[in-house]
Amino acid sequence: MKIDSAHLERLHPNTREMLMSADEDRIAYLNADKWIPYPVAEQVLAKMDRLIKLPKKLRMPGMLIVGEANSGKSSIVGEFCRMYTPIDHEESINFPIINVLVPRGPDLDGFYGEILDQLMAPYPSSARTAKKEGLVRYYFERVGVRMLIIDEVHHILSGPIVKQKQFMNAIKNLSSHMQIPIVLVGIKDALQAVDTDSQIKSRFPATLLPQWQDNSIDYIRLLMSIESLLPLKKASGIYERKMAMEIHRRSNGYIGEMFDLINAAADFAITTGSEKITVKELSECGHGNSSKKLDY
């Protein structure tokens, strides 16, 4: 198949190289993790970067990242963690960032256990919560942890008020003792989770991840960036008005849902040989409802 030169020019160089590869290789490339920068994400990353570079002090500031499912929270956190990957020294490993999930309950014992597991730190299975907390502090100091990211923080609401307050106080105390910033991540219910105490609320100011607007320049630019990474042999023009509005309607304006939908349609286009995304591919690719998707 002859490929239009204008289409080739618009593709990312790595994508361009994939066009003549086997279909299964193009599909694998399509589904591999990719980071596409956009203004809101860059602003959040910049805030996180400022936090991790702060000098140690008793009352370290933190932040709360709030967005609905598929709003891009996990993608942003993942990109930040890639900026500060563990450093393997000759006799030790430095972990700049620890990223954990809040156990439902909330369960402090399970929380400390998950941190220790991520650090690959040994501890007896019979260890009590206080012992695990002490080990977390010890290993944080030993491996040079500079930031703790706690995802799904809204899960603390599944427990009684007393447990919620205990969990949030433990997080605050860990930040103060280790003098490191803590970043909380969750859906809008997370705003209620940090509202247990005025001091805690002031330490974790919220940054909201909004839905995309279908008439914004940033949305069109995002679609152009996404299309440049699609290993399709024909131009789809997903950034043109009709297609942009259709994608927005089907994704509800959430970036994770856009990626899932567009990738599913591109996969379908490769498999069927149409080699471009149209409303037909969007409709027939088998992409499910956004409410059933995992977070992005």
Side-chain angles (χ1 to χ4, degrees):
M1 176 187 295
K2 185 177 180 180
I3 302 173
D4 181 68
S5 59
H7 174 53
L8 284 174
E9 284 297 316
R10 284 191 289 267
L11 295 180
H12 186 280
N14 294 343
T15 308
R16 204 178 300 145
E17 290 177 7
M18 291 298 302
L19 287 189
M20 302 314 296
S21 299
D23 289 356
E24 56 266 31
D25 293 331
R26 287 195 289 150
I27 290 171
Y29 173 81
L30 174 70
N31 292 311
D33 282 340
K34 300 177 187 70
W35 171 250
I36 297 178
Y38 56 95
V40 171
E42 293 294 287
Q43 291 165 16
V44 175
L45 289 172
K47 287 181 182 179
M48 295 174 76
D49 202 47
R50 284 194 294 271
L51 283 178
I52 202 170
K53 290 175 179 175
L54 287 174
K56 287 180 175 287
K57 56 183 178 180
L58 185 60
R59 192 181 188 280
M60 292 296 292
M63 68 181 292
L64 168 63
I65 302 172
V66 177
E68 294 303 328
N70 274 312
S71 62
K73 302 185 300 296
S74 298
S75 180
I76 291 170
V77 167
E79 177 63 16
F80 190 73
C81 289
R82 283 188 287 272
M83 292 165 58
Y84 291 92
T85 54
I87 303 167
D88 194 352
H89 300 291
E90 241 180 71
E91 298 181 355
S92 63
I93 299 178
N94 177 254
F95 285 86
I97 298 172
I98 297 295
N99 179 20
V100 295
L101 299 175
V102 173
R104 291 186 182 274
D107 177 18
L108 270 175
D109 188 74
F111 174 66
Y112 292 134
E114 184 177 348
I115 292 175
L116 292 170
D117 289 341
Q118 281 213 22
L119 291 169
M120 297 178 287
Y123 63 93
S125 58
S126 60
R128 294 179 179 272
T129 302
K131 174 66 173 177
K132 289 181 180 177
E133 180 186 3
L135 287 171
V136 166
R137 293 183 180 188
Y138 168 76
Y139 282 110
F140 268 29
E141 188 71 38
R142 183 172 175 179
V143 303
V145 173
R146 296 167 57 192
M147 174 182 282
L148 175 62
I149 300 175
I150 305 175
D151 205 347
E152 307 285 2
V153 71
H154 49 275
H155 281 174
I156 77 165
L157 297 175
S158 62
I161 294 293
V162 172
K163 273 197 156 188
Q164 293 178 32
K165 290 184 176 181
Q166 286 176 344
F167 195 92
M168 292 306 300
N169 280 326
I171 290 173
K172 181 186 71 173
N173 292 338
L174 183 62
S175 175
S176 296
H177 184 89
M178 301 309 304
Q179 297 184 5
I180 61 171
I182 291 179
V183 175
L184 307 178
V185 185
I187 61 175
K188 286 184 179 178
D189 289 348
L191 294 167
Q192 182 182 343
V194 301
D195 203 16
T196 56
D197 179 281
S198 59
Q199 288 187 11
I200 291 173
K201 186 176 182 179
S202 66
R203 191 172 291 200
F204 298 102
T207 295
L208 304 179
L209 302 181
Q211 289 174 273
W212 289 74
Q213 301 301 310
D214 66 357
N215 59 352
S216 73
I217 294 297
D218 287 336
Y219 173 59
I220 300 305
R221 286 174 177 163
L222 175 70
L223 293 179
M224 293 177 74
S225 296
I226 293 173
E227 179 154 354
S228 75
L229 296 172
L230 300 178
L232 298 175
K233 296 177 181 179
K234 297 179 183 177
S236 299
I238 61 173
Y239 49 84
E240 293 173 0
R241 187 62 182 163
K242 179 183 175 182
M243 285 294 290
M245 290 184 69
E246 184 66 17
I247 289 168
H248 188 276
R249 183 183 70 80
R250 291 172 181 264
S251 66
N252 299 314
Y254 291 118
I255 187 170
E257 191 66 14
M258 290 177 211
F259 274 97
D260 288 345
L261 170 62
I262 293 168
N263 278 4
D267 187 320
F268 185 76
I270 293 172
T271 303
T272 61
S274 68
E275 291 294 342
K276 66 182 294 187
I277 297 173
T278 67
V279 173
K280 174 182 169 66
E281 279 71 27
L282 294 177
S283 300
E284 298 181 9
C285 65
H287 180 259
N289 186 277
S290 62
S291 64
K292 298 179 181 177
K293 295 285 180 179
L294 295 175
D295 194 15
Y296 172 83

